[in-house]
C-alpha cells in the first residue's frame, strides 16, 4: 500500500505563487514522482515529473514557471508554481511510480484556483 497526501493548494490571483507538497508513505522505493492536473471534461494531463536521480520533465505550458523537486529522505515531492495563470486552475494530483512492482499510485488531489 502506497499512500500519497497532497497539500498546498488554494486560491491565488494571476501572477501569484503556490507550493504544492506530496508526502508518500510506503516501504517501497519510488522511482518517479510527479504532478498531473485535471479539469472537468478533460483527461488528466502531465504537469511535471522527477526521477530518483533528479531528472525532470515539464509540460510545455508550465516550463519556466513551475519547478518540481523531491526530498528522498522524506519521500516528498514539491511543485513550486510561479507566475500562475487562470488557465492553471485545476485539481492537481500527485503521482508515484514504484518500479519494482510496476505500480502507479495517485493522491486524492488538491484544488488550485487562479483568479484573473
Amino acid at each position: 500500500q502506497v499512500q500519497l497526501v497532497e497539500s498546498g493548494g488554494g486560491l491565488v490571483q494571476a501572477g501569484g505563487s503556490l507550493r504544492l507538497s506530496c508526502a508518500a508513505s510506503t516501504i517501497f522505493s519510488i522511482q518517479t514522482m510527479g504532478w498531473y492536473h485535471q479539469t472537468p471534461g478533460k483527461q488528466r494531463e502531465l504537469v511535471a515529473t522527477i526521477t530518483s536521480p533528479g531528472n525532470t520533465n515539464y509540460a510545455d505550458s508550465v516550463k519556466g514557471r513551475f519547478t518540481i523537486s523531491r526530498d528522498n529522505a522524506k519521500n516528498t515531492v514539491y511543485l513550486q508554481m510561479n507566475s500562475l495563470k487562470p488557465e492553471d486552475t485545476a485539481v492537481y494530483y500527485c503521482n508515484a511510480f514504484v518500479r519494482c512492482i510496476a505500480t502507479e499510485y495517485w493522491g486524492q488531489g488538491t484544488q488550485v484556483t487562479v483568479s484573473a
Side-chain angles (χ1 to χ4, degrees):
Q1 181 78 9
V2 176
Q3 293 183 321
L4 304 174
V5 180
E6 301 115 323
S7 63
L11 172 64
V12 297
Q13 292 186 326
S17 298
L18 285 173
R19 189 190 189 212
L20 306 183
S21 299
C22 174
S25 298
T26 178
I27 64 171
F28 298 110
S29 176
I30 300 173
Q31 180 191 51
T32 305
M33 300 187 76
W35 291 94
Y36 295 70
H37 68 191
Q38 187 171 25
T39 55
K42 296 184 66 178
Q43 288 186 267
R44 193 169 297 182
E45 298 178 334
L46 181 146
V47 177
T49 60
I50 185 167
T51 65
S52 294
N55 298 314
T56 59
N57 183 46
Y58 296 92
D60 289 341
S61 61
V62 307
K63 189 175 182 179
R65 299 188 296 120
F66 294 5
T67 302
I68 189 170
S69 61
R70 67 189 290 176
D71 184 337
N72 291 329
K74 296 180 179 179
N75 258 354
T76 301
V77 63
Y78 306 93
L79 185 68
Q80 180 65 47
M81 309 166 70
N82 297 326
S83 301
L84 283 162
K85 304 175 181 180
E87 51 262 44
D88 295 320
T89 296
V91 177
Y92 284 72
Y93 295 90
C94 180
N95 171 270
F97 177 66
V98 180
R99 182 175 177 83
C100 66
I101 57 174
T103 304
E104 203 170 53
Y105 297 89
W106 294 95
Q108 292 297 111
T110 184
Q111 177 70 47
V112 171
T113 302
V114 184
S115 62

